[in-house]
């Protein structure tokens, strides 16, 4: 059989449950406060931006490594058979841009 509780035990249980309820309501109030909601949203956005920036950095780093591997030997020496044609094309493009801008100024 179950033991009968005394009025003091019942009162103590009521006090304990009131305190628990008060703590729960305080926690809900803090979570629902506009500053808390805004702070959580800012943290989420910052986290997303950090993740996106990290992915972008990894992608750029991979592309740079691939390009470097195409234009250098394993020992780090440049591959002239690939560097020279790219340099010639770059100089030609710069020359065309310069001559085009001079024509437009005249």
């Amino acid at each position: 059989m179950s033991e009968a509780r005394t009025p003091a035990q019942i009162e103590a249980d009521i006090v304990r449950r009131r305190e628990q309820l008060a703590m729960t309501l305080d926690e809900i109030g803090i979570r629902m406060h506009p500053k808390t909601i805004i702070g959580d949203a800012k943290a989420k956005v910052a986290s997303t931006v950090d993740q996106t920036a990290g992915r972008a950095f990894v992608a750029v780093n991979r592309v740079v490594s691939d390009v470097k591997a195409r234009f250098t030997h394993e020992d780090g020496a440049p591959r002239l058979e690939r560097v020279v044609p790219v340099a010639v094309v770059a100089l030609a493009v710069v020359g065309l841009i310069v001559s085009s801008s001079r024509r437009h100024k005249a």
Side-chain angles (χ1 to χ4, degrees):
M1 289 192 189
S2 65
E3 292 183 26
R5 297 186 321 163
T6 66
Q9 290 172 326
I10 295 171
E11 190 174 323
D13 190 38
I14 292 171
V15 168
R16 184 178 49 80
R17 290 191 185 248
R18 256 192 213 137
E19 290 172 356
Q20 288 175 342
L21 181 58
M23 288 188 324
T24 302
L25 289 174
D26 288 345
E27 186 177 325
I28 290 171
I30 291 170
R31 286 184 183 179
M32 299 308 296
H33 193 277
K35 286 184 179 181
T36 303
I37 294 170
I38 291 170
D40 291 348
K42 284 180 181 179
K44 187 173 182 179
V45 168
S47 174
T48 302
V49 167
D50 287 346
Q51 288 175 354
T52 303
R55 287 186 195 125
F57 176 78
V58 169
V60 168
N61 195 21
R62 186 178 302 130
V63 168
V64 169
S65 295
D66 290 346
V67 169
K68 183 179 177 185
R70 289 183 181 174
F71 288 97
T72 59
H73 292 287
E74 291 162 2
D75 64 355
R79 292 183 177 189
L80 294 179
E81 70 276 7
R82 292 185 180 173
V83 173
V84 171
V86 171
V88 169
V89 169
L91 286 173
V93 168
V94 169
L96 287 172
I97 291 171
V98 168
S99 66
S100 175
S101 69
R102 286 185 181 174
R103 285 185 196 160
H104 291 297
K105 287 182 181 179

